[in-house]
Amino acid sequence: MAPTNSPRHALIERAVLTLGKRNQTTMVLWHKMAIVLSKIIGDAGFESMFFRNLDQLESSFPWLVVVRDSSPRAMDHLEACLSAHPGVEAEAASTTLLIQFTDTLNHLIGELVTNRILRSAWGTLALDDAPEQVK
Amino acid sequence: MNKVDIHLLATGIPGFDELLGGGVPEYSFNLLAGTPGSGKTTMAHQIMFSLANPGRRAIFFTVLGEPPLKMLRYQQQFPFFEVEKIGESIKFVNLSADLISGNFDQVLARIEEEVRDFGASLVFVDSFRSVVQSARAAETGADGLQHFVQQLGMQMTNWLATTFLIGEYLAPEAESSPVFTVADGIIWLSQLVHRDALVRKIQVVKLRGHAQSLGIHSFRINDEGIQIFPRAVVKASIGSAVRFAQNQRLSLGVPDLDTMMGGGLPAGYSLLVVGPSGSGKTVLATQFLEEGARVGEPGIIAAFEKSPNQLMSHRLDALVEAGCVGVINTRTLDLSLDEVLHDLIEMIVRMKAKRVVIDSLSGFEMALASVFREDFRESLYRLVASLTHLGVTVLMTAETEDRYTDLRFSSYGNAFLADAILMQRYIELKGRLRRIISVVKVRGSAHSDHLHFFQISDGGIDIGDTLEDLDGILTGHPRLN
């Protein structure tokens, strides 16, 4: 796993803070990332990776891994789960999942390519106060 | 009215442009085909990363082939994979979902949309075989595929895109004939396992518009990516043949031997030094290089037989350290002749070398992958022709088993390739094993026909007396005449 103090983790946390100030949720990051990543690895590839990482968080956030009816789309499922919980708890779970998801990506394709993809997906959110490595 | 000028794109793969007659024609529609694991995807990435820039963007479409994440994972191990280009100049797009739907028109529309949106002028589709298989599975069949390929070719040409379809094919023609017909260029990659050695080969099967290098060439995938070694033939790219004055000769570094040769070794000649183990072939080769260093003629020794420590006598070591002699040293047993020649030519050009030693032919043959050993004589012919074309003078050593019943100059029947031959042998005389040497041939030149004693001292080879009072020398048991 990447170190918890990796620049990418810090970037995600800053992006979450920025969104909070704009009264937006982490779903913005998820949607943007899903669009870019699905283009590269296909919808099925993204969905598979998303639910695999979701399952990894079962012990911390069991409510994220509720039984999924009729194979919902990843983003629909996440949005439904998050909206059913208080904002702070939902954002904490979503942020942890984001970190977990990008860690997996980092494992597979490395920090440099992962950061390129995140930058491409998140645009200015990825640039705001982003560390040198991802600029 | 001027004819259209076809601009050639440099591929960034060492040796590949030479095969393609200068590069990939811009706006061409190409197929990179070959067996599984033959390096198609690596080749495509190497071309793409080399060519892509903000003014020439590339899209790499993945289609039901190698999972994109794995492809990114493995390809980024190569230094050509410049991460900074991703997003800016290179985009990866997965078409699996579009293809699974079985609607080729939808796939075409998606490709066109992505190419238009990204402004791509380089398009890669990997693996195109998936498209072929989908055509068979979905009832579109060969007609549907033909339509798809023609439409794709037309669209990409209209978008001024240079296109590469990457396909895994076991047999060149058969099922995929529409692709092979429409393609402007077909590059065929293969790999062959012969005994324990794996050899990779590449062939430009078709290239519209200009001449390509015919034949099958070898290539290697190493830490840097793909490197192609165009088949060694004397070619214009090396330049026109170097010509020498008729009387221009090189000293071997042994004055008495020069005299025996008729005044030294004619420049640009290939000399074969044959003799049994320990007879002094490498010593003579070292003196040949030393003499070159002395008169300002850099040399190269391709050492196939000995490890660096064994090879490097102090004298040779000093030459190498002084930069007068370059060493091509390999113990690998899966080389192709073209790879050896590539390294030799590169070093000859870099060092402006005038003298080359190949020590020895038996070691050289051993270093080649087994599949190439079968054509060793032909390979050697091409090697010698290419080197002498460059104007270097070549000294090759060959170990022969001393047989006293016949006169042999090489174990390989290669003596005819040499312009000059020096023979070393052992004979038994008065209870001692003595060395003798003779000039067998110097093409187009008078030379000594005497057999001479010689010995090896600290200074090198000392040529001794002739053996005129002895008969039956070559039987190994001379007697007084």
Side-chain angles (χ1 to χ4, degrees), chain A residues 41-57:
Chain A
I41 64 176
D43 288 340
F46 177 80
E47 299 270 319
S48 164
M49 185 182 281
F50 175 84
F51 284 115
R52 182 265 179 197
N53 282 283
L54 199 70
D55 290 341
Q56 296 288 101
L57 289 188

Side-chain angles (χ1 to χ4, degrees), chain A residues 39 49 107-109 116, chain B residues 73 76 84 86 94 114:
Chain A
K39 268 203 171 178
M49 185 182 281
H107 263 302
L108 290 168
I109 58 174
R116 291 299 292 190
Chain B
R73 177 181 173 82
Q76 68 178 274
E84 314 77 57
I86 296 177
N94 186 276
E114 294 287 351

Side-chain angles (χ1 to χ4, degrees), chain B residues 216-407:
Chain B
I216 296 175
H217 310 263
S218 59
F219 72 100
R220 189 174 279 275
I221 303 177
N222 56 29
D223 290 345
E224 302 296 308
I226 286 181
Q227 182 171 18
I228 295 170
F229 306 98
R231 187 174 153 82
V233 287
V234 177
K235 42 193 175 276
S237 60
I238 298 178
S240 55
V242 175
R243 297 195 179 282
F244 298 96
Q246 203 169 5
N247 57 353
Q248 191 177 339
R249 300 215 175 202
L250 277 68
S251 170
L252 294 173
V254 183
D256 289 340
L257 197 50
D258 290 339
T259 305
M260 289 169 65
M261 301 276 295
L265 178 62
Y269 268 33
S270 56
L271 167 66
L272 182 64
V273 181
V274 296
S277 179
S279 62
K281 299 182 293 297
T282 303
V283 174
L284 177 59
T286 304
Q287 286 188 263
F288 174 67
L289 293 172
E290 272 182 334
E291 177 64 14
R294 195 183 67 78
V295 300
E297 293 173 349
I300 292 168
I301 180 164
F304 296 101
E305 199 161 75
K306 301 172 174 68
S307 69
N309 288 340
Q310 288 172 315
L311 170 75
M312 296 294 174
S313 66
H314 292 304
R315 296 168 65 163
L316 194 52
D317 204 14
L319 292 174
V320 173
E321 280 191 10
C324 303
V325 168
V327 179
I328 289 182
N329 199 312
T330 179
R331 309 283 289 171
T332 313
L333 301 181
D334 64 348
L335 293 174
S336 69
L337 167 105
D338 304 306
E339 202 168 340
V340 175
L341 188 60
H342 171 269
D343 292 349
L344 264 173
I345 289 177
E346 194 178 73
M347 197 176 269
I348 287 168
V349 170
R350 179 160 44 84
M351 293 187 65
K352 298 185 172 60
K354 300 293 179 202
R355 300 177 178 223
V356 168
V357 168
I358 297 170
D359 188 24
S360 66
L361 292 186
S362 46
F364 181 22
E365 185 184 21
M366 183 86 79
L368 296 179
S370 53
V371 67
F372 295 119
R373 289 180 207 153
E374 292 165 5
D375 301 322
F376 187 62
R377 284 181 74 193
E378 185 215 318
S379 298
L380 198 60
Y381 172 78
R382 291 192 286 126
L383 178 89
V384 171
S386 297
L387 292 180
T388 52
H389 180 85
L390 280 169
V392 295
T393 305
V394 183
L395 186 155
M396 304 175 284
T397 69
E399 185 164 321
T400 49
E401 196 180 329
D402 248 356
R403 292 185 185 179
Y404 298 105
T405 52
D406 57 1
L407 189 58

Side-chain angles (χ1 to χ4, degrees), chain B residues 31 43 91 96 120-121 128 136 183 191-192 207-208 211 271 273 322 327 335 368 374 406 419 424 444 449 472:
Chain B
L31 178 65
M43 173 173 266
K91 186 177 180 184
S96 300
S121 48
F128 198 73
R136 291 158 83 201
Q191 52 188 0
L192 170 72
L207 194 61
R208 283 196 180 118
L271 167 66
V273 181
V327 179
L335 293 174
L368 296 179
E374 292 165 5
D406 57 1
D419 301 308
Q424 299 173 336
D449 57 3

Side-chain angles (χ1 to χ4, degrees), chain B residues 132-147:
Chain B
V132 174
Q133 286 170 330
S134 289
R136 291 158 83 201
E139 292 167 356
T140 46
D143 290 344
L145 180 65
Q146 176 96 36
H147 172 74

Side-chain angles (χ1 to χ4, degrees), chain A residues 37-43 49 105 107-110 112-113 116-117 119, chain B residues 62 68-69 72-73 76 81 83-86 88 91-94 110 114:
Chain A
L37 203 51
S38 293
K39 268 203 171 178
I40 298 173
I41 64 176
D43 288 340
M49 185 182 281
L105 206 52
H107 263 302
L108 290 168
I109 58 174
L112 283 172
V113 179
R116 291 299 292 190
I117 291 171
R119 179 184 161 182
Chain B
T62 51
L69 285 177
L72 289 171
R73 177 181 173 82
Q76 68 178 274
F81 192 102
V83 175
E84 314 77 57
K85 288 192 173 180
I86 296 177
E88 305 291 335
K91 186 177 180 184
F92 291 91
V93 175
N94 186 276
R110 176 83 194 282
E114 294 287 351

Side-chain angles (χ1 to χ4, degrees), chain B residues 147-225:
Chain B
H147 172 74
F148 175 76
V149 172
Q150 282 176 338
Q151 285 294 114
L152 183 62
M154 184 197 68
Q155 282 182 2
M156 293 304 102
T157 306
N158 290 344
W159 281 100
L160 299 184
T162 307
T163 307
F164 297 86
L165 310 179
I166 296 112
E168 206 166 77
Y169 295 98
L170 296 174
E173 302 298 335
E175 61 185 346
S176 47
S177 55
V179 189
F180 282 72
T181 307
V182 172
D184 300 315
I186 299 173
I187 316 297
W188 185 262
L189 306 180
S190 60
Q191 52 188 0
L192 170 72
V193 176
H194 190 265
R195 297 191 181 160
D196 289 339
L198 184 142
V199 175
R200 297 182 189 275
K201 298 194 170 188
I202 180 168
Q203 182 183 9
V204 181
V205 177
K206 169 183 179 183
L207 194 61
R208 283 196 180 118
H210 68 290
Q212 72 269 32
S213 180
L214 298 172
I216 296 175
H217 310 263
S218 59
F219 72 100
R220 189 174 279 275
I221 303 177
N222 56 29
D223 290 345
E224 302 296 308

